[in-house]
Amino acid sequence: DVKVTQSSRYLVKRTGEKVFLECVQDMDHENMFWYRQDPGLGLRLIYFSYDVKMKEKGDIPEGYSVSREKKERFSLILESASTNQTSMYLCASSSGLAGDLYEQYFGPGTRLTVT
Amino acid sequence: AQSVAQPEDQVNVAEGNPLTVKCTYSVSGNPYLFWYVQYPNRGLQFLLKYITGDNLVKGSYGFEAEFNKSQTSFHLKKPSALVSDSALYFCAVRDRLSGGYQKVTFGTGTKLQVIP
């Protein structure tokens, strides 16, 4: 079974703090994604990566950055957390080369609260 | 850009009755569609996908989805609902970006409540 793990299930941070969310997948997938999930808005893509050291902006990249130094690990960074970044963050991975996506496998999510 | 719409925020169905969760899509070219389910306090799980071929796609946990090109719909169905099917369901479509890469765009989700 594909396993996608996220470093924390719940996180509480203060406004202005730098926040790191870590995601690891164990299936040697090329593609990894970060989404945020908010009620009534569904899932919105923040950033994605199709290869090591490669990153592409999604639909809502403002206020976020990412890092992918190893194939299995994809990190989301909030440079200076703000209250409007309070949300559920979901990491996902999928197989497929040259950006040809197949079904995605999701981690359990990190519920981040910024106070 | 491709998109999907889920017109119902919530669907209630009695246990044992058939269930339908609706999804319509807007794409240029041939659609590549997915359904995912999210159980309480858990990440999303893949249920099924449509690429091409048969209009009736079978997936996990007894779910199936019917692709209808003329109505641009991809409704999720199950003949007999279980209480354990109560969850949040997302329809999604694969979208090709200008750089040649692909991403998946999700709908806003439909909460399914199965009543004992």
Side-chain angles (χ1 to χ4, degrees), chain A residues 9-10 33 35 37 40-43 45 48 50 54 56 59 90 98-104 106-108, chain B residues 32 34 36 38 41-46 49 88 90 94 96-97 100-109:
Chain A
R9 290 299 302 271
Y10 300 93
F33 309 84
Y35 295 89
Q37 181 181 4
L41 297 177
L43 273 71
L45 182 64
F48 56 99
Y50 290 113
M54 176 272 177
E56 289 285 339
D59 299 317
L90 295 172
D100 198 16
L101 289 185
Y102 299 103
E103 58 268 24
Q104 296 180 38
F106 284 81
Chain B
Y32 194 131
F34 305 87
Y36 288 84
Q38 185 178 36
N41 299 315
R42 294 174 66 176
L44 274 71
Q45 296 179 36
F46 168 74
K49 65 185 176 187
L88 190 56
F90 290 95
R94 194 173 75 176
R96 186 170 293 278
L97 304 175
Y101 294 110
Q102 297 175 354
K103 66 165 187 162
V104 174
T105 298
F106 287 82
T108 51

